[in-house]
Each structure stands twice: as C-alpha cells, then as structure tokens.
Amino acid sequence: MLDSRHRLDPHRQQLPSSSSSSSTIIGTPPSPKDFVAHDFDEQTPLLSSTTSLSLGVWISRRIHSIVIYQPRPIPIVNKNLPSNGTSIVILAFIGLQVFYVFYRMPLSIPMLFVFADRTSLLFVANLPWLYLFAAKNQPIKTLTGYSYESLNILHRRLGEVMCLLALLHSIGMVGVWYTLLRPTGFTLARFLLSKIILLGLGALAAYELIYWTSLGSFRQRWYELFLFLHVSLQFIALVLVWFHHHGGRPYIGAALAIFLIDRLVYRMGLKTSSSRALLEVTKDEGTMILSAQLPVQQNSSLTSCFTNVRTTNGWKATEHVFLTVPALSRKHFIQAHPFTIASKQPAERDGKAELKLIIRAQNGFSGDLLKYARDHLLASIRLDGPYGSQKAVDLLKACDLSVIVAGGSGIAVALPLAWAAHDAHDFLDLENNPKVRPRAKVLMIWVIRDQSHRSWVDSSEFQVLRDNGTDIIVPPPTSDHGHPDIPGMITSWILARDAGQGLRTGIVCSGPDPMNRAVRNACASLLTRGHDVDVEVEKFGW
C-alpha cells in the first residue's frame, strides 16, 4: 500500500527550525536533553517509578509486553512473524479446526471415511468465514472495530487451512477406495472417473492453485495476475464444490451472498464515486501526487444507517480508497488498487475537501500511472471507499502522549493522524492563555530513503503542526546515513515528556516490516519498565 499529501514545493530542501525546543525538525538523532521542556530542569527524574505500581498493574503490563512483542523473522526462509498476540489468536483458531476434525474419532483404518467426511464438512463450514474475513464491508468491523485489512491475516491463514483440509479429504477418499472399494474389484480408474470424484478433483486443483498464487513472492511480483486468478479461480471452485456434493450448498450459498453483497451492493453501488484528479510527478521522479477536489456532504437518511458511504461523505485518518484510472488501458478499467488518503479529515461544514494520494511507482498499475502522469495533467478517476479501522486514531485520542512513526510513503498515514491527535489534545487553547505555547504532546518521526522524498509533503503543513506544538523529526536519508535509532528516539521523548507523571502513551507506526517490528519491541521494552504504553501498526501490503 502506497500513499499521498498536499501540493509540493520541490525547491524546499529543509524546513525552517523553531526557536522553541518543543518542536524540532533535525538531521541528527536527538538526545533526551533535546526534548526537555521549559518547565523541567536537569534534576527532574526521567524514569517513572515502577516500584509504585501495584502487583496487578505490573503483571498486566508484563503480559501486555509479551503479547505485543514481535519475534525475529524465521531464519533461512526469512518469513516475517506477526506479534505474539496475533500468533496466539491464529494458533487458537487452527487448534479449533484440529479439534473439530479429531474429536472422539479413533485413529484407525476403518475410520478413514469418517476422517475424510469431517475434513470436507469443516471445509465447507469455513467457506462463509473465509469470505467474511475478506469482505471490505462486513459486520465484524461494527462488532469489534477491526476492519478487513486487520482481518486479512485470518483470511490468509484460514485459506491455507482450507487448502490443507481439501487435500486431506482427497487423500482420505483415496484411502477409502484402497481399503474398502478396491477389494471388491472397483478399479482406481473407475473411481477417479466417476462424476463426484472428477468434480472434487477439479475443485481441489482450483484451491491449490489459489494457494500457490497467493504466496507473498507471487503476489508481490505479479499483483494484477494474482487479483485475476484469485477472483476467477475461487468462482470456478465454488461452482465445482456446489455440484460435487449437495451437502455443501447452504455454505456455498452463504459465501456467495457475502461476496455479491460486498462487491455489487457496496463496492460497485453505494461506495463508488467518480471525479477528475490532478496528477503531479514529484522531484524524485519515481512518485506522483494525485489530488482531487471533492464535495463533502452528509449521508442521506437511507444510507447513513449502513456506513460513511463514500468519499463524498468525507473520510477519517488512516482510511484508504481503491483507485481506478480507466484511461490507462482496458485492463485497468476493471482494476482497483488501494492507497491511503493522506489528507486531513474534512469537516462537514467545509463543503469541499481535497483528497490526496502519494503513489510510489512500481510494476503494473502504479508504473503505468506514473508514465501517464508525465504526459497528462488531469485524469478521470473512480474511487471505491473509504475503508479502514479507527483503532489507531482511538488509541491516540485516549492517551496523554502520542508518537507517530512513518517510513517512506507511510507519511500518508502519519499526517492525518498528527492532525487527529492535534485536535484531540487541543494544543492551542487561545481563550485560556493565548501567549504561552503548551508543551508538545505529539511526536512525529518520518524516515526517508532519499532527500528528494521531502518534496512529497508541503513544508507549510509541517510548519503549521510545529506551530501548534508538534515535535517533528526527519532524520538524514537512510541511503546516505543508514537507519536511525527509532527506538532510542521514541524512548528518549517519552521519558522526557512523562518525567515520572505516569502518563499514558499511544504509539502508531506505518512503515516497512523491520521498522514496525522495532517500534513494537520498543513499546514492549517500555512496558517491562513499568510505563503505560500501547502500540498500533498500520502495515504496508495487501
């Protein structure tokens, strides 16, 4: 997932510094003294006292630190692991599947048919859940607050389990033929060429192809092909399973209903809007800014009960849209690609708002769009959305201190979040004291690979945030100076701002996997030291 922001000023290389220590944009990593506020001196203790914590709170924070900790990638295959909490949920979910297969079933040859039957029953029973986890519009968000992108890991793991169940069902039925039918003279050819078996083998082949084409290596290299195969193969597989056995039809019908309601009613109907957009290639020549002026209006009484329907009804921080640019080519007419909205959440009174996307060119759609932007100033676009969870926003609003970390195009997540945190903390209370700037309650760190990437964001927007008390750090580009000590920056800032007061800190990170892991584990380390912190990660990738 790659993203956007305001009209650029490519000639501004460095933002002006402020005389106030509460807001800095610097080129070298800060020390704890850089964050000491005017109302604290060097004798103020930086570490909050953990001895004053009750036993229950201490145990709770230790457990929380274990839950949010993210282990290192698996050696050799370099497979990234999720946080311990996510792994626990996934293992429990898989354990439930194993329980249903083997509950009160003796492991013996005569029970092969029961084993094959149970794996098939569990397969079809999981179909509605598989489609529900993948649906962009579904009730789970209403019930839990977790949007589809947070549930995507469950969709993938469940899909893998179902492919295994289909394979085990096939192996079990071959075992049934070998132990029960073969002794009666029922040949293997006759068994395999029977209608019910042929349909089952076709469905098995379709689902196994879905598995192999959904692997990260394939998905990242041929994303458009992955999308086409994922949709077409799953439709073929559903048809084959429908005719394979009548017992699975209620589950197939439920799965198909979820898919059609999500795609046709919501995505192609209620949540789609069209507009003209301005295209601008940035200074680094590998990124473009797409901006569109959209009218902002309230939901109608008919649709407001469902959702914040489309972008013309506004959007919130961290939300994203699916972008279609029909002018690129025929194949792009039916393709929709996700990008985070990098614009501040509009107010209903505004009447009109600017939606911006930062799009980093890669292969396929984004590369074609960049080529198009070099020759065209305007383009007709179609937007499906907005989508996304408000978990990160709710976390920052509920905390005394906010830390936002962005890597590269993750700034598209960070900027709207900084504005949301700004509004929540009410930095400038001009009625109470118009002359005194309050201490910063928000830290935003933006890690960039190249100096030219600064052109993605208008310097005036950073300046406004700084003027309202936000600490902003843009370390030197990683291409020249290596990766900065993000955990050290976060820890230093929190210790200086907390200063023994026991304040609650919310941390949100949006960047590549190594950065996300470093921030998660920095948060876990602070929890073990007794600090009240929590973390949300807005992960790249789909």
Side-chain angles (χ1 to χ4, degrees), residues 86-289:
T86 303
S87 296
I88 291 171
V89 171
I90 292 173
L91 289 174
F93 188 68
I94 294 175
L96 187 64
Q97 309 288 320
V98 175
F99 170 79
Y100 282 141
V101 170
F102 293 103
Y103 177 68
R104 301 188 67 176
M105 186 184 71
L107 299 178
S108 60
I109 296 299
M111 298 299 291
L112 264 177
F113 182 78
V114 176
F115 172 79
D117 190 50
R118 281 197 184 180
T119 53
S120 66
L121 290 173
L122 192 57
F123 177 91
V124 294
N126 275 319
L127 274 174
W129 288 105
L130 182 72
Y131 282 77
L132 194 62
F133 288 149
K136 307 299 183 289
N137 307 276
Q138 29 100 330
I140 297 179
K141 179 183 176 182
T142 304
L143 296 173
T144 67
Y146 289 103
S147 185
Y148 80 94
E149 69 271 20
S150 300
L151 301 171
N152 185 258
I153 190 171
L154 289 177
H155 170 74
R156 291 179 182 177
R157 298 296 88 80
L158 178 58
E160 292 165 359
V161 169
M162 291 177 63
C163 287
L164 178 60
L165 287 171
L167 181 62
L168 292 175
H169 171 68
S170 301
I171 294 173
M173 291 307 299
V174 171
V176 169
W177 164 80
Y178 187 82
T179 57
L180 297 179
L181 300 179
R182 186 182 64 89
T184 66
F186 202 93
T187 64
L188 179 60
R190 182 182 174 188
F191 173 75
L192 294 177
L193 292 176
S194 59
K195 180 181 177 181
I196 189 172
I197 299 300
L198 280 176
L199 290 169
L201 289 175
L204 174 66
Y207 279 113
E208 297 307 316
L209 276 175
I210 290 175
Y211 169 76
W212 288 109
T213 56
S214 298
L215 294 176
S217 55
F218 186 96
R219 189 175 63 249
Q220 293 166 12
R221 192 167 185 177
W222 299 290
Y223 184 72
E224 281 88 357
L225 180 59
F226 153 74
L227 287 177
F228 172 76
L229 292 176
H230 209 66
V231 174
S232 57
L233 286 174
Q234 61 87 21
F235 180 76
I236 293 172
L238 282 181
V239 172
L240 291 172
V241 174
W242 175 278
F243 290 106
H244 174 63
H245 198 282
H246 63 84
R249 292 178 181 178
Y251 303 99
I252 297 169
L256 190 59
I258 293 170
F259 178 79
L260 293 177
I261 291 173
D262 175 51
R263 291 275 176 166
L264 300 182
V265 177
Y266 278 94
R267 298 194 63 185
M268 296 182 65
L270 292 174
K271 296 186 75 72
T272 296
S273 59
S274 299
S275 179
R276 294 280 287 174
L278 177 67
L279 308 177
E280 181 180 0
V281 179
T282 61
K283 184 178 179 180
D284 66 303
E285 294 294 331
T287 308
M288 60 157 293
I289 304 297

Side-chain angles (χ1 to χ4, degrees), residues 10 37 52 57 78 118 311 467 514:
S52 62
V57 172
N78 197 33
R118 281 197 184 180
T311 51
D467 289 343

